[in-house]
Amino acid sequence: MKVFIVGAGAMGCLYAGAFHRAGCAVTLVDVNREHLEAISANGLELETRAGTEHLPLAAVHPAEVSGTADLILLFTKTFQTDAALAGVKTIIGPETRVLTLQNGLGNDERVARHVARENVLTGVSTLPSDLVGPGRVRSHGEGGTKLYPAFSTDEGFARTVAERLTAGGLPSGLDPAIGSAIWSKAIFNAAMNPLCALTRRTPGFLGANPESRAMIRQAVAEGAATAEASGVAVDAQAILDLTEVSMSDHANHEPSMLQDLNAGRRTEVDAINGAIVEAAEQAGVATPLLQTLWQLVRLEEAKLA
């Protein structure tokens, strides 16, 4: 299987390692030249609880891609999706599948602007990963992957992808109720990511303070009410349980919004909190905390400008 990872940040590199271990031909695609050069020169340094590996992976700029992909795994920011897929259109053939494990809501429809709807896979990851330097990624924590065809019930290729990821060390499975899983992950992120970003602290800090715990409970309740009103069944207690895992097992992990603000980059808050708030407005649900967190992160982004 020829796998192109478009968006070779912390998560993209973690999944590249799994596909490589499973015997796939893996190419990392990114615009960060320093990162690409480090991987090309020394291999990807991937540190997990099992130890540190140096994986020989191809790493190229979008202008340098060639061949035809069997699978494109999309790990760019949500607001970069159109530009990213347009930038690698030469490797997209009629049978190329695109799997989005991006944060937030609406990613399947964005991808479907670039490939046939039956070739779109969508899913969620609950794995932590941090980019610690050019060519160096660390993932300390447990988790897994759920995926499924976005617009069909033909499970064949999706099952193969899940099997390869599992064989490569990242437990993965199919979930026909993937819409519920995506909403649940978005609600989790809408509660945890902004609070880490705004306090400039990791989940362990949130777990140690009653104020943040109270806001996490309220944010999850608002998100779950929005999902239910939008016709999507979610388990609020299961989402709260996942926040507990984050605050303990992933206590020192830097969530993506925190990484972005620390690096002076735009966050994905519009596709996470913003998307939930907009769905809530359509469904007539009040989400005062989620809206406040959205606006506060937007103000942090405005400071970067």
Side-chain angles (χ1 to χ4, degrees), residues 88-105:
V88 297
K89 63 182 179 181
T90 59
I91 64 170
I92 299 176
E95 300 301 319
T96 298
R97 268 75 164 196
V98 178
L99 167 60
T100 168
L101 295 178
Q102 296 161 290
N103 290 324
L105 304 176

mmCIF file of all heavy atoms in Angstrom, residues 88-105:
data_model
loop_
_atom_site.group_PDB
_atom_site.id
_atom_site.type_symbol
_atom_site.label_atom_id
_atom_site.label_comp_id
_atom_site.label_asym_id
_atom_site.label_seq_id
_atom_site.Cartn_x
_atom_site.Cartn_y
_atom_site.Cartn_z
ATOM 1 N N VAL A 88 -1.447 18.376 -3.674
ATOM 2 C CA VAL A 88 -0.983 17.018 -4.000
ATOM 3 C C VAL A 88 -1.923 16.334 -4.992
ATOM 4 O O VAL A 88 -1.986 15.107 -5.054
ATOM 5 C CB VAL A 88 -0.848 16.163 -2.716
ATOM 6 C CG1 VAL A 88 0.204 16.738 -1.788
ATOM 7 C CG2 VAL A 88 -2.185 16.015 -1.983
ATOM 8 N N LYS A 89 -2.610 17.120 -5.794
ATOM 9 C CA LYS A 89 -3.601 16.544 -6.707
ATOM 10 C C LYS A 89 -2.987 15.588 -7.717
ATOM 11 O O LYS A 89 -3.676 14.702 -8.240
ATOM 12 C CB LYS A 89 -4.368 17.652 -7.423
ATOM 13 C CG LYS A 89 -3.521 18.538 -8.323
ATOM 14 C CD LYS A 89 -4.370 19.640 -8.950
ATOM 15 C CE LYS A 89 -3.537 20.552 -9.843
ATOM 16 N NZ LYS A 89 -4.369 21.642 -10.432
ATOM 17 N N THR A 90 -1.687 15.706 -7.965
ATOM 18 C CA THR A 90 -1.042 14.821 -8.945
ATOM 19 C C THR A 90 -0.960 13.379 -8.458
ATOM 20 O O THR A 90 -0.786 12.465 -9.266
ATOM 21 C CB THR A 90 0.367 15.316 -9.283
ATOM 22 O OG1 THR A 90 1.152 15.359 -8.082
ATOM 23 C CG2 THR A 90 0.331 16.691 -9.917
ATOM 24 N N ILE A 91 -1.063 13.132 -7.145
ATOM 25 C CA ILE A 91 -0.994 11.755 -6.644
ATOM 26 C C ILE A 91 -2.376 11.168 -6.387
ATOM 27 O O ILE A 91 -2.497 10.034 -5.929
ATOM 28 C CB ILE A 91 -0.147 11.663 -5.360
ATOM 29 C CG1 ILE A 91 -0.784 12.461 -4.216
ATOM 30 C CG2 ILE A 91 1.286 12.123 -5.613
ATOM 31 C CD1 ILE A 91 -0.123 12.220 -2.855
ATOM 32 N N ILE A 92 -3.420 11.939 -6.671
ATOM 33 C CA ILE A 92 -4.789 11.469 -6.462
ATOM 34 C C ILE A 92 -5.303 10.833 -7.747
ATOM 35 O O ILE A 92 -5.489 11.510 -8.763
ATOM 36 C CB ILE A 92 -5.714 12.614 -6.025
ATOM 37 C CG1 ILE A 92 -5.232 13.218 -4.704
ATOM 38 C CG2 ILE A 92 -7.152 12.108 -5.880
ATOM 39 C CD1 ILE A 92 -6.039 14.423 -4.247
ATOM 40 N N GLY A 93 -5.488 9.516 -7.724
ATOM 41 C CA GLY A 93 -6.049 8.788 -8.852
ATOM 42 C C GLY A 93 -7.497 8.435 -8.596
ATOM 43 O O GLY A 93 -8.047 8.732 -7.526
ATOM 44 N N PRO A 94 -8.156 7.775 -9.554
ATOM 45 C CA PRO A 94 -9.574 7.442 -9.387
ATOM 46 C C PRO A 94 -9.853 6.484 -8.231
ATOM 47 O O PRO A 94 -10.968 6.446 -7.717
ATOM 48 C CB PRO A 94 -9.953 6.808 -10.736
ATOM 49 C CG PRO A 94 -8.661 6.419 -11.370
ATOM 50 C CD PRO A 94 -7.647 7.392 -10.886
ATOM 51 N N GLU A 95 -8.846 5.714 -7.806
ATOM 52 C CA GLU A 95 -9.034 4.771 -6.707
ATOM 53 C C GLU A 95 -8.388 5.245 -5.405
ATOM 54 O O GLU A 95 -8.394 4.509 -4.416
ATOM 55 C CB GLU A 95 -8.467 3.398 -7.088
ATOM 56 C CG GLU A 95 -9.105 2.776 -8.320
ATOM 57 C CD GLU A 95 -10.607 2.594 -8.157
ATOM 58 O OE1 GLU A 95 -11.032 2.198 -7.049
ATOM 59 O OE2 GLU A 95 -11.349 2.846 -9.115
ATOM 60 N N THR A 96 -7.813 6.428 -5.402
ATOM 61 C CA THR A 96 -7.159 6.928 -4.190
ATOM 62 C C THR A 96 -8.190 7.224 -3.106
ATOM 63 O O THR A 96 -9.151 7.938 -3.335
ATOM 64 C CB THR A 96 -6.361 8.208 -4.495
ATOM 65 O OG1 THR A 96 -5.334 7.908 -5.442
ATOM 66 C CG2 THR A 96 -5.720 8.759 -3.229
ATOM 67 N N ARG A 97 -7.966 6.656 -1.930
ATOM 68 C CA ARG A 97 -8.804 6.977 -0.780
ATOM 69 C C ARG A 97 -8.122 8.050 0.063
ATOM 70 O O ARG A 97 -6.895 8.090 0.141
ATOM 71 C CB ARG A 97 -9.021 5.750 0.095
ATOM 72 C CG ARG A 97 -10.247 4.940 -0.239
ATOM 73 C CD ARG A 97 -10.094 4.125 -1.480
ATOM 74 N NE ARG A 97 -11.133 3.092 -1.572
ATOM 75 C CZ ARG A 97 -11.059 2.064 -2.389
ATOM 76 N NH1 ARG A 97 -10.005 1.934 -3.196
ATOM 77 N NH2 ARG A 97 -12.018 1.168 -2.418
ATOM 78 N N VAL A 98 -8.940 8.879 0.700
ATOM 79 C CA VAL A 98 -8.427 9.884 1.620
ATOM 80 C C VAL A 98 -9.070 9.652 2.978
ATOM 81 O O VAL A 98 -10.302 9.621 3.096
ATOM 82 C CB VAL A 98 -8.727 11.318 1.141
ATOM 83 C CG1 VAL A 98 -8.223 12.338 2.159
ATOM 84 C CG2 VAL A 98 -8.090 11.573 -0.214
ATOM 85 N N LEU A 99 -8.232 9.458 3.997
ATOM 86 C CA LEU A 99 -8.702 9.306 5.369
ATOM 87 C C LEU A 99 -8.386 10.575 6.136
ATOM 88 O O LEU A 99 -7.232 10.987 6.233
ATOM 89 C CB LEU A 99 -8.007 8.110 6.037
ATOM 90 C CG LEU A 99 -8.156 7.988 7.563
ATOM 91 C CD1 LEU A 99 -9.620 7.863 7.977
ATOM 92 C CD2 LEU A 99 -7.347 6.807 8.085
ATOM 93 N N THR A 100 -9.414 11.216 6.687
ATOM 94 C CA THR A 100 -9.209 12.381 7.539
ATOM 95 C C THR A 100 -9.403 11.990 8.998
ATOM 96 O O THR A 100 -10.456 11.468 9.383
ATOM 97 C CB THR A 100 -10.155 13.547 7.181
ATOM 98 O OG1 THR A 100 -10.086 14.528 8.235
ATOM 99 C CG2 THR A 100 -11.591 13.107 6.991
ATOM 100 N N LEU A 101 -8.360 12.224 9.789
ATOM 101 C CA LEU A 101 -8.441 12.081 11.241
ATOM 102 C C LEU A 101 -8.268 13.452 11.890
ATOM 103 O O LEU A 101 -7.826 13.562 13.025
ATOM 104 C CB LEU A 101 -7.368 11.110 11.743
ATOM 105 C CG LEU A 101 -7.495 9.663 11.282
ATOM 106 C CD1 LEU A 101 -6.345 8.812 11.815
ATOM 107 C CD2 LEU A 101 -8.829 9.055 11.694
ATOM 108 N N GLN A 102 -8.621 14.482 11.142
ATOM 109 C CA GLN A 102 -8.462 15.852 11.627
ATOM 110 C C GLN A 102 -9.460 16.160 12.738
ATOM 111 O O GLN A 102 -10.486 15.498 12.882
ATOM 112 C CB GLN A 102 -8.677 16.843 10.472
ATOM 113 C CG GLN A 102 -7.658 16.736 9.350
ATOM 114 C CD GLN A 102 -8.182 17.371 8.080
ATOM 115 O OE1 GLN A 102 -9.104 16.855 7.444
ATOM 116 N NE2 GLN A 102 -7.599 18.498 7.712
ATOM 117 N N ASN A 103 -9.134 17.172 13.519
ATOM 118 C CA ASN A 103 -10.018 17.609 14.588
ATOM 119 C C ASN A 103 -11.253 18.313 14.030
ATOM 120 O O ASN A 103 -11.243 18.813 12.906
ATOM 121 C CB ASN A 103 -9.281 18.565 15.532
ATOM 122 C CG ASN A 103 -8.216 17.867 16.349
ATOM 123 O OD1 ASN A 103 -8.398 16.723 16.756
ATOM 124 N ND2 ASN A 103 -7.110 18.550 16.592
ATOM 125 N N GLY A 104 -12.296 18.372 14.850
ATOM 126 C CA GLY A 104 -13.445 19.193 14.504
ATOM 127 C C GLY A 104 -14.512 18.491 13.699
ATOM 128 O O GLY A 104 -14.483 17.279 13.478
ATOM 129 N N LEU A 105 -15.461 19.296 13.221
ATOM 130 C CA LEU A 105 -16.613 18.806 12.474
ATOM 131 C C LEU A 105 -16.527 19.235 11.010
ATOM 132 O O LEU A 105 -15.938 20.263 10.696
ATOM 133 C CB LEU A 105 -17.906 19.363 13.088
ATOM 134 C CG LEU A 105 -18.142 19.089 14.579
ATOM 135 C CD1 LEU A 105 -19.423 19.787 15.045
ATOM 136 C CD2 LEU A 105 -18.210 17.597 14.860
#
